[in-house]
Short mmCIF file of all heavy atoms in Angstrom, two decimals:
data_model
loop_
_atom_site.label_atom_id
_atom_site.label_comp_id
_atom_site.label_asym_id
_atom_site.label_seq_id
_atom_site.Cartn_x
_atom_site.Cartn_y
_atom_site.Cartn_z
N MET X 1 82.80 84.18 118.95
CA MET X 1 82.70 83.57 120.27
C MET X 1 83.17 82.12 120.19
O MET X 1 82.80 81.41 119.25
CB MET X 1 81.25 83.62 120.75
CG MET X 1 81.09 83.15 122.18
SD MET X 1 79.40 83.32 122.77
CE MET X 1 78.66 81.86 122.11
N LEU X 2 83.98 81.72 121.13
CA LEU X 2 84.45 80.33 121.17
C LEU X 2 83.77 79.60 122.33
O LEU X 2 83.62 80.17 123.42
CB LEU X 2 85.96 80.27 121.36
CG LEU X 2 86.82 80.76 120.19
CD1 LEU X 2 88.29 80.68 120.55
CD2 LEU X 2 86.55 79.93 118.95
N ILE X 3 83.37 78.38 122.10
CA ILE X 3 82.81 77.55 123.18
C ILE X 3 83.87 76.53 123.57
O ILE X 3 84.46 75.87 122.71
CB ILE X 3 81.53 76.84 122.71
CG1 ILE X 3 80.45 77.89 122.44
CG2 ILE X 3 81.06 75.83 123.76
CD1 ILE X 3 79.17 77.32 121.88
N ASN X 4 84.13 76.43 124.88
CA ASN X 4 85.11 75.46 125.36
C ASN X 4 84.44 74.08 125.42
O ASN X 4 83.75 73.75 126.38
CB ASN X 4 85.62 75.88 126.74
CG ASN X 4 86.76 75.00 127.20
OD1 ASN X 4 86.79 73.81 126.93
ND2 ASN X 4 87.71 75.61 127.90
N ILE X 5 84.61 73.31 124.34
CA ILE X 5 83.91 72.03 124.22
C ILE X 5 84.39 71.04 125.28
O ILE X 5 83.60 70.27 125.82
CB ILE X 5 84.09 71.45 122.80
CG1 ILE X 5 83.42 72.40 121.78
CG2 ILE X 5 83.45 70.08 122.68
CD1 ILE X 5 83.57 71.98 120.33
N PHE X 6 85.69 71.10 125.63
CA PHE X 6 86.19 70.19 126.67
C PHE X 6 85.44 70.42 127.99
O PHE X 6 84.96 69.49 128.63
CB PHE X 6 87.70 70.39 126.88
CG PHE X 6 88.27 69.49 127.93
CD1 PHE X 6 88.71 68.22 127.62
CD2 PHE X 6 88.34 69.91 129.26
CE1 PHE X 6 89.23 67.38 128.59
CE2 PHE X 6 88.85 69.08 130.24
CZ PHE X 6 89.30 67.80 129.91
N ASN X 7 85.34 71.69 128.39
CA ASN X 7 84.63 72.00 129.63
C ASN X 7 83.16 71.63 129.54
O ASN X 7 82.59 71.10 130.49
CB ASN X 7 84.77 73.49 129.98
CG ASN X 7 86.07 73.79 130.67
OD1 ASN X 7 86.84 72.89 130.96
ND2 ASN X 7 86.34 75.06 130.90
N LEU X 8 82.55 71.88 128.39
CA LEU X 8 81.14 71.52 128.18
C LEU X 8 80.94 70.02 128.38
O LEU X 8 80.00 69.58 129.04
CB LEU X 8 80.70 71.93 126.77
CG LEU X 8 79.28 71.54 126.36
CD1 LEU X 8 78.25 72.27 127.20
CD2 LEU X 8 79.06 71.86 124.88
N HIS X 9 81.88 69.22 127.82
CA HIS X 9 81.77 67.77 127.91
C HIS X 9 82.19 67.23 129.27
O HIS X 9 82.17 66.01 129.50
CB HIS X 9 82.58 67.11 126.78
CG HIS X 9 81.98 67.34 125.43
ND1 HIS X 9 82.59 66.96 124.26
CD2 HIS X 9 80.81 67.91 125.07
CE1 HIS X 9 81.83 67.28 123.23
NE2 HIS X 9 80.75 67.87 123.70
N HIS X 10 82.62 68.12 130.17
CA HIS X 10 82.95 67.72 131.54
C HIS X 10 82.03 68.39 132.55
O HIS X 10 82.30 68.37 133.75
CB HIS X 10 84.42 68.03 131.86
CG HIS X 10 85.37 67.06 131.23
ND1 HIS X 10 85.68 67.08 129.89
CD2 HIS X 10 86.04 66.00 131.74
CE1 HIS X 10 86.51 66.09 129.61
NE2 HIS X 10 86.75 65.42 130.71
N HIS X 11 80.96 69.00 132.06
CA HIS X 11 80.00 69.66 132.95
C HIS X 11 79.25 68.59 133.74
O HIS X 11 78.57 67.74 133.16
CB HIS X 11 79.02 70.50 132.12
CG HIS X 11 78.26 71.49 132.93
ND1 HIS X 11 77.42 71.13 133.95
CD2 HIS X 11 78.23 72.85 132.86
CE1 HIS X 11 76.89 72.23 134.48
NE2 HIS X 11 77.36 73.28 133.84
N THR X 12 79.37 68.65 135.08
CA THR X 12 78.83 67.56 135.91
C THR X 12 77.31 67.46 135.83
O THR X 12 76.74 66.40 136.09
CB THR X 12 79.26 67.74 137.38
OG1 THR X 12 78.97 69.08 137.78
CG2 THR X 12 80.73 67.46 137.55
N GLU X 13 76.65 68.54 135.46
CA GLU X 13 75.19 68.50 135.35
C GLU X 13 74.75 67.55 134.23
O GLU X 13 73.73 66.87 134.32
CB GLU X 13 74.66 69.91 135.08
CG GLU X 13 73.15 70.04 135.18
CD GLU X 13 72.71 71.47 134.92
OE1 GLU X 13 73.43 72.40 135.36
OE2 GLU X 13 71.69 71.66 134.25
N PHE X 14 75.54 67.51 133.15
CA PHE X 14 75.19 66.67 132.00
C PHE X 14 76.01 65.38 131.97
O PHE X 14 75.54 64.36 131.48
CB PHE X 14 75.43 67.42 130.70
CG PHE X 14 74.79 68.79 130.67
CD1 PHE X 14 75.57 69.93 130.66
CD2 PHE X 14 73.41 68.91 130.65
CE1 PHE X 14 74.97 71.18 130.63
CE2 PHE X 14 72.81 70.15 130.62
CZ PHE X 14 73.60 71.28 130.61
N TRP X 15 77.25 65.45 132.44
CA TRP X 15 78.18 64.32 132.34
C TRP X 15 78.83 64.08 133.70
O TRP X 15 79.96 64.49 133.93
CB TRP X 15 79.26 64.62 131.28
CG TRP X 15 78.68 65.09 129.99
CD1 TRP X 15 78.62 66.36 129.51
CD2 TRP X 15 78.05 64.28 129.00
NE1 TRP X 15 78.00 66.38 128.30
CE2 TRP X 15 77.64 65.11 127.95
CE3 TRP X 15 77.80 62.89 128.92
CZ2 TRP X 15 76.97 64.63 126.83
CZ3 TRP X 15 77.14 62.42 127.79
CH2 TRP X 15 76.74 63.29 126.77
N PRO X 16 78.10 63.38 134.62
CA PRO X 16 78.61 63.20 135.98
C PRO X 16 79.94 62.45 136.06
O PRO X 16 80.75 62.75 136.91
CB PRO X 16 77.48 62.43 136.69
CG PRO X 16 76.46 62.09 135.68
CD PRO X 16 76.76 62.84 134.42
N ASP X 17 80.15 61.45 135.20
CA ASP X 17 81.41 60.68 135.24
C ASP X 17 82.15 60.85 133.92
O ASP X 17 82.50 59.87 133.26
CB ASP X 17 81.12 59.19 135.47
CG ASP X 17 80.20 58.98 136.66
OD1 ASP X 17 80.48 59.55 137.72
OD2 ASP X 17 79.20 58.25 136.51
N ALA X 18 82.41 62.07 133.58
CA ALA X 18 82.94 62.37 132.24
C ALA X 18 84.24 61.63 131.93
O ALA X 18 84.47 61.24 130.78
CB ALA X 18 83.15 63.87 132.09
N ASP X 19 85.09 61.40 132.93
CA ASP X 19 86.39 60.78 132.65
C ASP X 19 86.33 59.25 132.64
O ASP X 19 87.32 58.60 132.33
CB ASP X 19 87.43 61.26 133.66
CG ASP X 19 87.86 62.69 133.34
OD1 ASP X 19 87.94 63.04 132.15
OD2 ASP X 19 88.11 63.45 134.30
N ASP X 20 85.17 58.69 133.00
CA ASP X 20 85.04 57.23 132.98
C ASP X 20 84.68 56.75 131.57
O ASP X 20 83.95 57.43 130.85
CB ASP X 20 83.94 56.76 133.95
CG ASP X 20 84.32 57.05 135.39
OD1 ASP X 20 85.50 57.42 135.63
OD2 ASP X 20 83.45 56.94 136.26
N PHE X 21 85.22 55.59 131.20
CA PHE X 21 84.91 55.01 129.90
C PHE X 21 83.58 54.28 130.00
O PHE X 21 83.50 53.18 130.54
CB PHE X 21 86.03 54.04 129.46
CG PHE X 21 85.77 53.42 128.12
CD1 PHE X 21 85.78 54.19 126.96
CD2 PHE X 21 85.51 52.06 128.01
CE1 PHE X 21 85.53 53.62 125.72
CE2 PHE X 21 85.26 51.48 126.76
CZ PHE X 21 85.28 52.26 125.63
N LYS X 22 82.52 54.92 129.55
CA LYS X 22 81.17 54.34 129.64
C LYS X 22 80.46 54.50 128.30
O LYS X 22 79.59 55.36 128.15
CB LYS X 22 80.35 55.06 130.71
CG LYS X 22 80.74 54.77 132.13
CD LYS X 22 79.77 55.51 133.06
CE LYS X 22 80.05 55.20 134.50
NZ LYS X 22 79.20 56.03 135.39
N PRO X 23 80.84 53.70 127.31
CA PRO X 23 80.20 53.85 126.01
C PRO X 23 78.69 53.62 126.07
O PRO X 23 77.95 54.13 125.23
CB PRO X 23 80.89 52.80 125.13
CG PRO X 23 81.59 51.88 126.06
CD PRO X 23 81.85 52.63 127.32
N GLU X 24 78.24 52.88 127.10
CA GLU X 24 76.80 52.59 127.20
C GLU X 24 75.98 53.86 127.42
O GLU X 24 74.77 53.86 127.22
CB GLU X 24 76.52 51.57 128.32
CG GLU X 24 76.83 52.04 129.72
CD GLU X 24 78.27 51.78 130.13
OE1 GLU X 24 79.11 51.54 129.25
OE2 GLU X 24 78.55 51.84 131.35
N ARG X 25 76.64 54.93 127.81
CA ARG X 25 75.86 56.16 128.01
C ARG X 25 75.30 56.69 126.68
O ARG X 25 74.44 57.55 126.65
CB ARG X 25 76.69 57.23 128.73
CG ARG X 25 77.83 57.80 127.96
CD ARG X 25 78.46 58.97 128.72
NE ARG X 25 79.79 58.68 129.22
CZ ARG X 25 80.24 59.03 130.41
NH1 ARG X 25 79.47 59.66 131.23
NH2 ARG X 25 81.46 58.75 130.77
N PHE X 26 75.84 56.15 125.58
CA PHE X 26 75.35 56.59 124.27
C PHE X 26 74.37 55.60 123.64
O PHE X 26 73.91 55.80 122.53
CB PHE X 26 76.52 56.81 123.31
CG PHE X 26 77.42 57.95 123.73
CD1 PHE X 26 78.60 57.71 124.41
CD2 PHE X 26 77.06 59.26 123.45
CE1 PHE X 26 79.42 58.75 124.80
CE2 PHE X 26 77.87 60.31 123.83
CZ PHE X 26 79.05 60.06 124.51
N VAL X 27 74.08 54.50 124.37
CA VAL X 27 73.19 53.47 123.81
C VAL X 27 71.80 54.04 123.56
O VAL X 27 71.23 53.89 122.49
CB VAL X 27 73.12 52.23 124.74
CG1 VAL X 27 71.99 51.32 124.29
CG2 VAL X 27 74.44 51.49 124.73
N HIS X 28 71.26 54.69 124.58
CA HIS X 28 69.94 55.30 124.42
C HIS X 28 70.14 56.69 123.84
O HIS X 28 70.75 57.55 124.47
CB HIS X 28 69.21 55.36 125.76
CG HIS X 28 69.09 54.02 126.39
ND1 HIS X 28 68.31 53.02 125.83
CD2 HIS X 28 69.67 53.48 127.48
CE1 HIS X 28 68.41 51.93 126.58
NE2 HIS X 28 69.23 52.17 127.59
N ASN X 29 69.66 56.84 122.64
CA ASN X 29 69.96 58.08 121.91
C ASN X 29 69.01 59.21 122.31
O ASN X 29 68.38 59.82 121.47
CB ASN X 29 69.87 57.78 120.41
CG ASN X 29 70.76 58.71 119.63
OD1 ASN X 29 71.60 59.38 120.21
ND2 ASN X 29 70.57 58.76 118.33
N GLU X 30 68.92 59.44 123.62
CA GLU X 30 68.01 60.49 124.08
C GLU X 30 68.51 61.87 123.63
O GLU X 30 69.67 62.04 123.30
CB GLU X 30 67.85 60.46 125.61
CG GLU X 30 69.07 60.91 126.37
CD GLU X 30 69.93 59.71 126.79
OE1 GLU X 30 69.78 58.64 126.19
OE2 GLU X 30 70.75 59.89 127.69
N LYS X 31 67.61 62.80 123.63
CA LYS X 31 67.96 64.13 123.15
C LYS X 31 68.94 64.79 124.11
O LYS X 31 68.69 64.93 125.29
CB LYS X 31 66.68 64.97 123.04
CG LYS X 31 66.77 66.03 121.99
CD LYS X 31 65.39 66.39 121.43
CE LYS X 31 65.48 67.56 120.48
NZ LYS X 31 66.38 67.31 119.36
N ARG X 32 70.09 65.15 123.59
CA ARG X 32 71.11 65.74 124.44
C ARG X 32 71.23 67.24 124.26
O ARG X 32 71.98 67.91 124.95
CB ARG X 32 72.47 65.11 124.14
CG ARG X 32 72.50 63.64 124.42
CD ARG X 32 73.86 63.06 124.14
NE ARG X 32 73.86 61.64 124.46
CZ ARG X 32 73.99 61.17 125.69
NH1 ARG X 32 74.17 61.98 126.70
NH2 ARG X 32 73.99 59.88 125.90
N GLY X 33 70.52 67.75 123.30
CA GLY X 33 70.60 69.19 123.06
C GLY X 33 72.04 69.59 122.75
O GLY X 33 72.75 68.88 122.05
N LEU X 34 72.47 70.68 123.29
CA LEU X 34 73.82 71.17 123.01
C LEU X 34 74.80 70.79 124.12
O LEU X 34 75.88 71.36 124.21
CB LEU X 34 73.79 72.69 122.82
CG LEU X 34 73.05 73.16 121.56
CD1 LEU X 34 73.03 74.68 121.50
CD2 LEU X 34 73.71 72.59 120.31
N SER X 35 74.42 69.78 124.94
CA SER X 35 75.37 69.36 125.98
C SER X 35 76.45 68.46 125.37
O SER X 35 77.45 68.17 126.02
CB SER X 35 74.64 68.61 127.10
OG SER X 35 74.06 67.43 126.59
N PHE X 36 76.24 67.99 124.15
CA PHE X 36 77.23 67.15 123.46
C PHE X 36 77.40 67.67 122.04
O PHE X 36 76.51 67.54 121.21
CB PHE X 36 76.75 65.69 123.44
CG PHE X 36 77.75 64.74 122.86
CD1 PHE X 36 78.99 64.55 123.45
CD2 PHE X 36 77.45 64.03 121.71
CE1 PHE X 36 79.91 63.67 122.91
CE2 PHE X 36 78.36 63.14 121.16
CZ PHE X 36 79.59 62.96 121.77
N MET X 37 78.51 68.30 121.78
CA MET X 37 78.70 68.87 120.44
C MET X 37 80.16 68.74 120.00
O MET X 37 80.85 69.73 119.82
CB MET X 37 78.23 70.33 120.39
CG MET X 37 78.60 71.17 121.57
SD MET X 37 77.92 72.83 121.49
CE MET X 37 79.01 73.60 120.34
N PRO X 38 80.61 67.47 119.77
CA PRO X 38 81.99 67.26 119.35
C PRO X 38 82.30 67.86 117.98
O PRO X 38 83.46 68.11 117.66
CB PRO X 38 82.12 65.74 119.32
CG PRO X 38 80.73 65.24 119.14
CD PRO X 38 79.86 66.22 119.87
N PHE X 39 81.26 68.09 117.18
CA PHE X 39 81.47 68.63 115.84
C PHE X 39 81.03 70.09 115.73
O PHE X 39 80.84 70.61 114.64
CB PHE X 39 80.71 67.79 114.81
CG PHE X 39 81.18 66.37 114.74
CD1 PHE X 39 80.46 65.35 115.35
CD2 PHE X 39 82.35 66.04 114.07
CE1 PHE X 39 80.91 64.04 115.30
CE2 PHE X 39 82.80 64.74 114.00
CZ PHE X 39 82.07 63.73 114.62
N GLY X 40 80.89 70.73 116.88
CA GLY X 40 80.41 72.11 116.86
C GLY X 40 78.89 72.11 116.69
O GLY X 40 78.23 71.09 116.91
N ALA X 41 78.36 73.22 116.27
CA ALA X 41 76.91 73.33 116.11
C ALA X 41 76.60 74.53 115.24
O ALA X 41 77.44 75.38 114.98
CB ALA X 41 76.23 73.48 117.47
N GLY X 42 75.36 74.54 114.76
CA GLY X 42 74.90 75.71 114.00
C GLY X 42 75.43 75.74 112.58
O GLY X 42 75.78 74.71 112.01
N GLU X 43 75.49 76.90 112.01
CA GLU X 43 75.84 77.05 110.60
C GLU X 43 77.24 76.55 110.28
O GLU X 43 77.51 76.14 109.16
CB GLU X 43 75.71 78.53 110.19
CG GLU X 43 74.28 78.99 110.07
CD GLU X 43 74.19 80.41 109.53
OE1 GLU X 43 75.13 80.84 108.83
OE2 GLU X 43 73.18 81.07 109.81
N ARG X 44 78.16 76.65 111.22
CA ARG X 44 79.53 76.24 110.96
C ARG X 44 79.83 74.86 111.52
O ARG X 44 81.02 74.53 111.75
CB ARG X 44 80.52 77.27 111.55
CG ARG X 44 80.30 78.70 111.06
CD ARG X 44 80.29 78.78 109.53
NE ARG X 44 81.57 78.46 108.93
CZ ARG X 44 82.49 79.36 108.59
NH1 ARG X 44 82.27 80.64 108.83
NH2 ARG X 44 83.62 78.99 108.03
N ILE X 45 78.82 74.04 111.72
CA ILE X 45 79.06 72.68 112.21
C ILE X 45 79.98 71.94 111.23
O ILE X 45 79.97 72.23 110.02
CB ILE X 45 77.71 71.93 112.39
CG1 ILE X 45 77.91 70.67 113.21
CG2 ILE X 45 77.06 71.63 111.05
CD1 ILE X 45 76.61 70.00 113.64
N CYS X 46 80.78 71.04 111.75
CA CYS X 46 81.74 70.29 110.93
C CYS X 46 81.05 69.63 109.74
O CYS X 46 80.07 68.90 109.91
CB CYS X 46 82.38 69.22 111.81
SG CYS X 46 83.45 68.09 110.90
N ILE X 47 81.59 69.84 108.55
CA ILE X 47 80.97 69.21 107.38
C ILE X 47 81.34 67.73 107.26
O ILE X 47 80.77 67.00 106.48
CB ILE X 47 81.33 69.93 106.06
CG1 ILE X 47 82.83 69.92 105.84
CG2 ILE X 47 80.79 71.35 106.04
CD1 ILE X 47 83.22 70.21 104.41
N GLY X 48 82.36 67.30 108.05
CA GLY X 48 82.76 65.89 108.03
C GLY X 48 82.03 65.08 109.09
O GLY X 48 82.33 63.90 109.30
N ASN X 49 81.07 65.70 109.75
CA ASN X 49 80.29 65.12 110.85
C ASN X 49 79.83 63.69 110.57
O ASN X 49 80.23 62.74 111.26
CB ASN X 49 79.11 66.06 111.09
CG ASN X 49 78.18 65.63 112.17
OD1 ASN X 49 78.35 64.57 112.75
ND2 ASN X 49 77.19 66.44 112.45
N VAL X 50 79.02 63.50 109.55
CA VAL X 50 78.45 62.18 109.26
C VAL X 50 79.54 61.22 108.81
O VAL X 50 79.61 60.08 109.27
CB VAL X 50 77.34 62.30 108.19
CG1 VAL X 50 76.81 60.93 107.81
CG2 VAL X 50 76.21 63.17 108.71
N PHE X 51 80.43 61.72 107.95
CA PHE X 51 81.53 60.88 107.45
C PHE X 51 82.38 60.36 108.62
O PHE X 51 82.68 59.17 108.70
CB PHE X 51 82.39 61.69 106.48
CG PHE X 51 83.62 60.97 106.03
CD1 PHE X 51 83.55 59.99 105.05
CD2 PHE X 51 84.86 61.25 106.59
CE1 PHE X 51 84.68 59.32 104.63
CE2 PHE X 51 85.99 60.58 106.19
CZ PHE X 51 85.91 59.61 105.20
N ALA X 52 82.78 61.25 109.52
CA ALA X 52 83.65 60.86 110.64
C ALA X 52 82.94 59.88 111.57
O ALA X 52 83.57 58.96 112.10
CB ALA X 52 84.09 62.11 111.41
N SER X 53 81.63 60.05 111.76
CA SER X 53 80.89 59.14 112.65
C SER X 53 80.84 57.74 112.05
O SER X 53 81.05 56.74 112.76
CB SER X 53 79.46 59.66 112.87
OG SER X 53 79.49 60.91 113.49
N ILE X 54 80.60 57.64 110.74
CA ILE X 54 80.56 56.33 110.08
C ILE X 54 81.96 55.72 110.07
O ILE X 54 82.15 54.54 110.35
CB ILE X 54 80.01 56.47 108.64
CG1 ILE X 54 78.54 56.88 108.69
CG2 ILE X 54 80.18 55.17 107.86
CD1 ILE X 54 77.95 57.24 107.35
N GLU X 55 82.96 56.55 109.78
CA GLU X 55 84.34 56.07 109.72
C GLU X 55 84.76 55.53 111.09
O GLU X 55 85.45 54.51 111.18
CB GLU X 55 85.25 57.22 109.29
CG GLU X 55 86.65 56.77 108.93
CD GLU X 55 87.53 57.94 108.54
OE1 GLU X 55 87.36 59.04 109.13
OE2 GLU X 55 88.39 57.78 107.67
N GLY X 56 84.35 56.20 112.16
CA GLY X 56 84.69 55.76 113.51
C GLY X 56 84.13 54.39 113.81
O GLY X 56 84.82 53.51 114.35
N GLN X 57 82.87 54.17 113.43
CA GLN X 57 82.24 52.86 113.65
C GLN X 57 82.94 51.79 112.83
O GLN X 57 83.18 50.68 113.31
CB GLN X 57 80.76 52.92 113.27
CG GLN X 57 79.94 53.78 114.22
CD GLN X 57 78.50 53.95 113.73
OE1 GLN X 57 77.91 53.03 113.18
NE2 GLN X 57 77.95 55.13 113.93
N LEU X 58 83.28 52.13 111.58
CA LEU X 58 83.97 51.18 110.69
C LEU X 58 85.33 50.80 111.28
O LEU X 58 85.71 49.63 111.31
CB LEU X 58 84.13 51.83 109.32
CG LEU X 58 84.68 50.96 108.21
CD1 LEU X 58 83.72 49.82 107.91
CD2 LEU X 58 84.90 51.78 106.95
N LEU X 59 86.04 51.81 111.77
CA LEU X 59 87.37 51.58 112.36
C LEU X 59 87.28 50.65 113.56
O LEU X 59 88.04 49.68 113.67
CB LEU X 59 87.96 52.93 112.77
CG LEU X 59 89.43 52.94 113.15
CD1 LEU X 59 90.28 52.67 111.93
CD2 LEU X 59 89.79 54.28 113.76
N LEU X 60 86.33 50.92 114.45
CA LEU X 60 86.15 50.07 115.63
C LEU X 60 85.83 48.64 115.23
O LEU X 60 86.36 47.68 115.80
CB LEU X 60 85.02 50.62 116.51
CG LEU X 60 85.41 51.69 117.52
CD1 LEU X 60 84.17 52.18 118.26
CD2 LEU X 60 86.43 51.15 118.51
N THR X 61 84.97 48.48 114.21
CA THR X 61 84.60 47.14 113.74
C THR X 61 85.82 46.41 113.20
O THR X 61 86.07 45.24 113.55
CB THR X 61 83.54 47.25 112.61
OG1 THR X 61 82.46 48.05 113.09
CG2 THR X 61 83.01 45.89 112.23
N MET X 62 86.63 47.10 112.40
CA MET X 62 87.81 46.47 111.80
C MET X 62 88.83 46.09 112.87
O MET X 62 89.44 45.02 112.82
CB MET X 62 88.44 47.40 110.76
CG MET X 62 87.57 47.57 109.52
SD MET X 62 88.22 48.78 108.38
CE MET X 62 89.51 47.83 107.60
N ILE X 63 89.01 46.95 113.87
CA ILE X 63 89.96 46.65 114.95
C ILE X 63 89.50 45.43 115.75
O ILE X 63 90.29 44.54 116.06
CB ILE X 63 90.13 47.88 115.88
CG1 ILE X 63 90.86 49.00 115.14
CG2 ILE X 63 90.89 47.50 117.15
CD1 ILE X 63 90.87 50.33 115.88
N SER X 64 88.19 45.38 116.04
CA SER X 64 87.69 44.28 116.86
C SER X 64 87.69 42.96 116.10
O SER X 64 87.61 41.89 116.68
CB SER X 64 86.29 44.59 117.39
OG SER X 64 85.38 44.72 116.34
N GLN X 65 87.77 43.01 114.77
CA GLN X 65 87.83 41.77 113.99
C GLN X 65 89.24 41.21 114.04
O GLN X 65 89.53 40.13 113.67
CB GLN X 65 87.44 42.03 112.53
CG GLN X 65 85.92 42.10 112.37
CD GLN X 65 85.52 42.47 110.95
OE1 GLN X 65 86.35 42.95 110.17
NE2 GLN X 65 84.26 42.28 110.62
C1 HEM M 101 86.28 62.87 114.63
C2 HEM M 101 86.48 63.70 113.61
C3 HEM M 101 86.14 65.16 113.59
C4 HEM M 101 85.84 66.03 114.60
C5 HEM M 101 85.77 65.75 116.11
C6 HEM M 101 85.60 67.33 114.00
C7 HEM M 101 85.27 68.48 114.71
C8 HEM M 101 85.06 69.72 114.15
C9 HEM M 101 84.75 70.94 114.86
C10 HEM M 101 84.57 71.06 116.38
C11 HEM M 101 84.62 71.93 113.97
C12 HEM M 101 84.31 73.42 114.27
C13 HEM M 101 82.79 73.67 114.18
C14 HEM M 101 82.46 75.09 114.58
O1 HEM M 101 83.23 76.01 114.25
O2 HEM M 101 81.42 75.28 115.23
C15 HEM M 101 84.87 71.37 112.66
C16 HEM M 101 84.84 72.08 111.47
C17 HEM M 101 85.12 71.56 110.24
N1 HEM M 101 85.38 70.24 109.95
FE1 HEM M 101 85.53 68.75 111.29
N2 HEM M 101 85.75 67.23 112.64
C18 HEM M 101 86.06 65.92 112.34
C19 HEM M 101 86.26 65.38 111.09
C20 HEM M 101 86.20 66.08 109.91
C21 HEM M 101 86.35 65.49 108.58
C22 HEM M 101 86.60 63.99 108.33
C23 HEM M 101 86.25 66.51 107.69
C24 HEM M 101 86.35 66.49 106.18
C25 HEM M 101 86.21 65.40 105.44
C26 HEM M 101 86.03 67.73 108.44
C27 HEM M 101 85.88 68.98 107.89
C28 HEM M 101 85.59 70.13 108.60
C29 HEM M 101 85.46 71.45 107.99
C30 HEM M 101 85.64 71.80 106.50
C31 HEM M 101 85.14 72.34 109.02
C32 HEM M 101 84.89 73.85 108.89
C33 HEM M 101 83.37 74.07 108.72
C34 HEM M 101 83.05 75.57 108.64
O3 HEM M 101 83.75 76.36 109.27
O4 HEM M 101 82.03 75.91 108.00
N3 HEM M 101 86.01 67.43 109.78
N4 HEM M 101 85.13 70.03 112.78
#
């Protein structure tokens, strides 16, 4: 079974302004359940999950410097 992650991340019930750039929506790390799953979920979740998240923050920091 495939889950359409793009459609999931544009579901208006969870993400009313999905196309707007609003990084602040991630400031409060409230429980999002499976409404946000860029790395998949379950047994086959991306194994680069933590690495990619740290690398992303590092990249943003280096660019802003
Ligand atoms: C922003 C970066 C990344 C995103 C958005 C991403 C996203 C994903 C997604 C959606 C899957 C499929 C999960 C599923 O089938 O349910 C996946 C699988 C996988 N990812 Fe990533 N990934 C990223 C970076 C990485 C990195 C850096 C690595 C390795 C260092 C990696 C290694 C893998 C592997 C090996 C799988 C297959 C896992 C399996 O089937 O058991 N990914 N990734």
Side-chain angles (χ1 to χ4, degrees):
M1 187 176 82
L2 292 178
I3 294 176
N4 187 324
I5 296 178
F6 180 87
N7 278 356
L8 176 65
H9 291 174
H10 284 76
H11 196 298
T12 50
E13 190 179 322
F14 309 112
W15 310 102
D17 309 311
D19 286 324
D20 294 350
F21 180 67
K22 288 183 176 174
E24 65 272 17
R25 68 173 111 222
F26 294 99
V27 168
H28 303 293
N29 207 13
E30 70 265 20
K31 208 152 174 59
R32 298 181 179 279
L34 292 178
S35 63
F36 185 63
M37 42 184 282
F39 298 102
E43 287 186 24
R44 305 306 294 265
I45 194 170
C46 174
I47 60 162
N49 180 357
V50 176
F51 174 79
S53 299
I54 293 171
E55 192 181 35
Q57 291 173 37
L58 186 64
L59 191 68
L60 274 177
T61 307
M62 291 174 78
I63 291 170
S64 63
Q65 280 175 344

